[in-house]
Amino acid sequence: MSLFITLEGPEGSGKTSAIKLVREALEQMGHEIIMTREPGGTPISEQIRNVILDKSNTAMDSRTEALLYAASRRQHLVEKIWPALKEGKIVFCDRYLDSSLSYQGHARGLGIDDILKVNEYATERTYPDITFLFDIDPELGLERINKNKDREVNRLDVEKLSFHQKVREGYLILSKRFPDRYIVIDASKPLEEVSSNVLKEILNRLGK
Ligand code: TYD
């Protein structure tokens, strides 16, 4: 049974670390998993990612940014996500459509509905089966990032705290707008607890 699962949340929500443990557990049960991320996931999408996240691109217009994310997303779907779902795999995508709705639509003020329209075109209305929102107070999230010195700091990380607060607010709006696919996880809890909550929800969906 194929399943398209997306991981969303503000910076430092720990979604990438939490999902590593979930992946191991699912693989041990014999599921075939694909892990991928946005923006990126294929050579063309990674090239677009470099343009978007380059700290020297200070002249980047917000709509240009939104269109680049959508372009990267489309290429990623065509080359990687659609084929994997066709083969019956479980696809985990670290950020997808809802990052654009929350960051560009809500936090940058372009409007959730307009960004949704652009993305409906880009994705041909491919929505995730489950979207995990790793919800955390951005102050705590940014504190975690600053502790993790190995992590590269990108153009969006250096935004002000108020921007990250809007990102969180955007996600919470989306969780109410799309309640059928959204599962909100308290990401301030310890990593093992967060992972086990995510795993429980997936097993539930798989009927196990
Ligand atoms: P990345 O280093 O992958 O961040 P993270 O580890 O937090 O996922 O950088 C991706 C950045 O791009 C992140 O700040 C969120 C942002 N983003 C958007 O603004 N819109 C989008 O559509 C996507 C996919 C990401």
Side-chain angles (χ1 to χ4, degrees):
M1 174 183 161
S2 74
L3 211 51
F4 182 24
I5 300 172
T6 59
L7 316 173
E8 298 283 356
E11 323 295 310
S13 63
K15 56 187 164 44
T16 315
S17 316
I19 221 64
K20 270 193 200 135
L21 299 175
V22 174
R23 176 191 185 157
E24 280 164 21
L26 286 170
E27 279 179 340
Q28 272 172 12
M29 291 173 198
H31 293 287
E32 264 203 85
I33 314 278
I34 292 251
M35 265 309 294
T36 188
R37 68 154 184 190
E38 278 204 3
T42 73
I44 294 173
S45 307
E46 291 287 339
Q47 287 172 47
I48 302 174
R49 175 190 174 90
N50 292 339
V51 175
I52 303 174
L53 297 181
D54 186 339
K55 265 183 281 176
S56 63
N57 280 340
T58 49
M60 173 99 51
D61 170 76
S62 330
R63 289 188 190 209
T64 307
E65 183 185 86
L67 290 166
L68 286 172
Y69 277 120
S72 156
R73 179 161 303 131
R74 163 115 203 131
Q75 192 63 30
H76 189 206
L77 275 172
V78 169
E79 282 193 70
K80 203 159 176 183
I81 297 178
W82 283 336
L85 292 174
K86 247 195 194 150
E87 287 167 16
K89 294 183 178 151
I90 298 180
V91 177
F92 282 102
C93 192
D94 195 342
R95 299 197 180 282
Y96 182 65
L97 165 80
D98 299 275
S99 283
S100 285
L101 299 178
S102 170
Y103 282 75
Q104 283 67 53
H106 189 70
R108 289 247 190 266
L110 294 179
I112 289 178
D113 289 313
D114 278 354
I115 299 297
L116 187 59
K117 269 188 225 143
V118 170
N119 277 277
E120 278 175 349
Y121 174 73
T123 66
E124 296 178 55
R125 296 186 159 80
T126 301
Y127 295 107
D129 297 303
I130 311 174
T131 298
F132 285 107
L133 169 55
F134 291 77
D135 184 44
I136 192 161
D137 182 331
E139 243 174 294
L140 190 60
L142 293 174
E143 206 176 283
R144 280 186 182 169
I145 291 183
N146 293 334
K147 274 195 201 143
N148 182 359
K149 297 266 186 285
D150 295 341
R151 186 185 180 283
E152 65 179 292
V153 174
N154 67 48
R155 201 166 56 78
L156 286 119
D157 289 341
V158 296
E159 291 279 354
K160 288 200 277 315
L161 182 61
S162 58
F163 176 80
H164 296 290
Q165 269 155 350
K166 285 225 88 165
V167 168
R168 182 192 199 190
E169 189 181 271
Y171 276 128
L172 292 171
I173 293 171
L174 293 168
S175 69
K176 293 193 181 81
R177 180 156 171 182
F178 302 108
D180 293 349
R181 65 178 169 89
Y182 255 86
I183 298 177
V184 182
I185 297 285
D186 180 353
S188 67
K189 296 263 166 65
L191 184 65
E192 286 72 22
E193 197 175 330
V194 171
S195 301
S196 99
N197 288 341
V198 170
L199 183 61
K200 246 186 261 159
E201 296 286 355
I202 296 173
L203 294 179
N204 198 7
R205 192 61 70 100
L206 289 168
K208 294 200 173 144

